[in-house]
Amino acid sequence: MAELVDHVTQALQSLQLKDDDISEYIAGIVEDTSIDDDEKREVIAEFLAETTDAPTDSVITEILSKWKDMQEKNKREQLERKEKQLQQAQELEKRRLLESEKEREELAKQAAERASAKDITIEERRRREQLRRQYEDVASGGPDVGLEENQNAAKVKEKERVRREELKQKSDKEKERNKMLLEKQRQQKQDKDAENKKKATVKKERKKM
């Protein structure tokens, strides 16, 4: 979110607005996945109308466009990370296959050397069976590769869910804080209008006298 807040702050400079709270609030709206772009544009426009008389359409468009670019960049980075993880897993599996093949060949050689023996000991039978099972596991992709991938995917999904929940909670807090700020501003404006009206009335009474 920090990168988006920085961009919002920079964009608001064209409106002569320099307030971190405003930047964070707008960034929270932009990141909110529960509302579409049109609603985001409307909410931001109404909010900025309370703080400036300058045109805001181009600024809002720039902010929303930047957010889309950031999302696309994030998707590409995630895809690149997944591809890199897949390549690493494939390389690891290749090494496992090579090591298992070398071990199988060594054990097979040892078994051939003992083939002339009339009786095969229990230990030899056990080792041959272990080798056969190990080779079958490696040939089928290994018993742990799929499990490890599922666990990694579950961890990534859980992290994304927690992050979305944190962003939503933060956005709700920012909306509530902004609501209180706007209410305070409205009250101050009403008080000021009432004071000006009172002064005008007093001035008019004096002219009559």
Side-chain angles (χ1 to χ4, degrees), residues 65-119:
S65 177
K66 179 63 176 179
W67 172 238
K68 288 183 178 179
D69 292 342
M70 290 170 62
Q71 286 182 307
E72 290 297 328
K73 179 182 177 182
N74 185 52
K75 289 180 181 179
R76 289 195 300 270
E77 290 175 348
Q78 288 181 351
L79 180 60
E80 290 173 356
R81 284 195 296 269
K82 290 180 179 179
E83 290 177 348
K84 185 176 181 180
Q85 290 174 353
L86 179 59
Q87 291 176 355
Q88 291 175 342
Q90 290 174 342
E91 290 295 330
L92 179 61
E93 184 62 19
K94 288 180 181 179
R95 289 196 295 269
R96 289 178 58 187
L97 287 171
L98 289 174
E99 292 173 358
S100 296
E101 180 63 20
K102 289 180 180 179
E103 184 178 357
R104 185 190 69 81
E105 291 175 354
E106 180 63 25
L107 292 175
K109 180 180 179 180
Q110 294 175 3
E113 293 173 350
R114 295 192 298 270
S116 58
K118 294 182 179 180
D119 297 324

Side-chain angles (χ1 to χ4, degrees), residues 14-17 45 47-57 189:
S14 63
L15 301 177
Q16 304 301 316
L17 294 176
F47 171 70
L48 290 178
E50 296 291 335
T51 58
T52 180
D53 294 328
T56 60
D57 288 345
K189 183 178 180 181

Side-chain angles (χ1 to χ4, degrees), residues 9 12 17 40 46 51-52 62 64 69 80 108 110 113 125 137-138 167 172 182 192 194 196 209:
T9 300
L12 292 180
L17 294 176
K40 290 177 182 179
E46 291 177 356
T51 58
T52 180
E62 178 185 354
L64 293 176
D69 292 342
E80 290 173 356
Q110 294 175 3
E113 293 173 350
R125 288 184 181 141
D137 285 343
V138 172
L167 290 176
D172 291 341
L182 292 178
K192 185 175 180 181
N196 290 338
M209 294 175 64

